Amino acid sequence: MDDVRDLKALQLDALREVANIGGGHAATALSQMTNRRIMISVPKIYVTHLDDVPQQLGDAGTVVVGVLMHMMGDLTGRTLLLVPEANAQVLCDLLLSRAVGTTQSLGVLEQSALKEAGNILGAAYLNALSDFMKMMLLPSVPSLVIDTAAAAVTSAYINFGRERDYVFCIETQFEFDEAGRVLPGYFLLLPDLVSLRTILDAIGLG
């Protein structure tokens, strides 16, 4: 069995718990980096078609920031963190210790901060999955794209084969400040075919 569409609720719950563990580790690292309390939660994990991902962010024309990394080691594939541009600007204020509303454009400094945040989150998710799978997983150096949601998603699977049509979509919420400000984003896990089968074996669907 190698079709992620066949994942059942219990298996998705198991993967969601793994993602929550990773989110907790990322929140700790970001909190230490910014000297502010940050919480990261995973309200939902589901399987979706790549073509449907842009609609999750509003529509295909929504401008987003995407942080793309390659997954290396015992499992291979790609990961993509997608955050709507407006949310990314607020996240920059948080990461750069600015008052919310300060960031109006994403220059070199802002892009560097977002890549670092994406790197921390992606590495934390992969470390949690690595512990769960008892395998070695390593993220590559992150690359960043600012484009429409449709174009950003295309960048994740271009030259990657059509078997990547379906992906794990991890809803990721950054929560901070006393008012409980929440910034939603989406973390996509795109394992290659062999790695997908390995993940399914590990959660009892092999």
Side-chain angles (χ1 to χ4, degrees):
M1 207 293 289
D2 58 19
D3 193 334
V4 289
R5 290 170 294 178
D6 291 337
L7 285 169
K8 303 300 188 292
L10 285 176
Q11 282 78 26
L12 286 173
D13 283 346
L15 291 176
R16 178 173 173 269
E17 180 56 31
V18 172
N20 269 315
I21 292 171
H25 292 162
T28 299
L30 288 172
S31 295
Q32 292 173 345
M33 185 175 79
T34 61
N35 199 31
R36 296 181 66 170
R37 182 172 178 269
I38 299 174
M39 296 180 66
I40 297 175
S41 63
V42 179
K44 186 188 299 183
I45 180 171
Y46 52 92
V47 175
T48 189
H49 195 285
L50 271 171
D51 292 342
D52 293 333
V53 171
Q55 279 66 47
Q56 303 295 326
L57 287 91
D59 62 65
T62 300
V63 176
V64 301
V65 174
V67 181
L68 176 68
M69 294 190 297
H70 294 267
M71 178 171 64
M72 303 174 292
D74 293 328
L75 300 179
T76 54
R78 296 177 184 177
T79 68
L80 178 66
L81 173 65
L82 293 174
V83 181
E85 185 179 33
N87 292 349
Q89 290 175 353
V90 176
L91 189 56
C92 280
D93 290 334
L94 171 67
L95 297 170
L96 298 172
S97 300
R98 297 170 173 170
V100 172
T102 300
T103 301
Q104 298 297 315
S105 62
L106 300 175
V108 174
L109 178 61
E110 290 80 12
Q111 290 183 33
S112 177
L114 290 170
K115 283 197 289 186
E116 180 60 19
N119 183 53
I120 288 172
L121 184 63
Y125 277 155
L126 291 185
N127 283 340
L129 184 61
S130 176
D131 290 342
F132 176 72
M133 301 285 295
K134 308 301 182 188
M135 293 181 174
M136 182 182 70
L137 299 179
L138 298 171
S140 71
V141 173
S143 59
L144 184 139
V145 60
I146 303 172
D147 210 326
T148 64
V153 168
T154 297
S155 72
Y157 68 89
I158 193 169
N159 300 324
F160 197 43
R162 295 305 299 172
E163 74 266 14
R164 297 286 54 76
D165 282 350
Y166 286 87
V167 299
F168 298 101
C169 186
I170 303 170
E171 287 191 11
T172 300
Q173 293 186 342
F174 299 86
E175 182 175 337
F176 64 99
D177 73 28
E178 295 76 10
R181 189 188 306 269
V182 174
L183 300 176
Y186 294 85
F187 186 85
L188 306 183
L189 177 63
L190 302 87
D192 62 27
L193 191 56
V194 172
S195 298
L196 172 60
R197 288 172 173 161
T198 303
I199 293 172
L200 296 177
D201 283 342
I203 57 177
L205 289 179

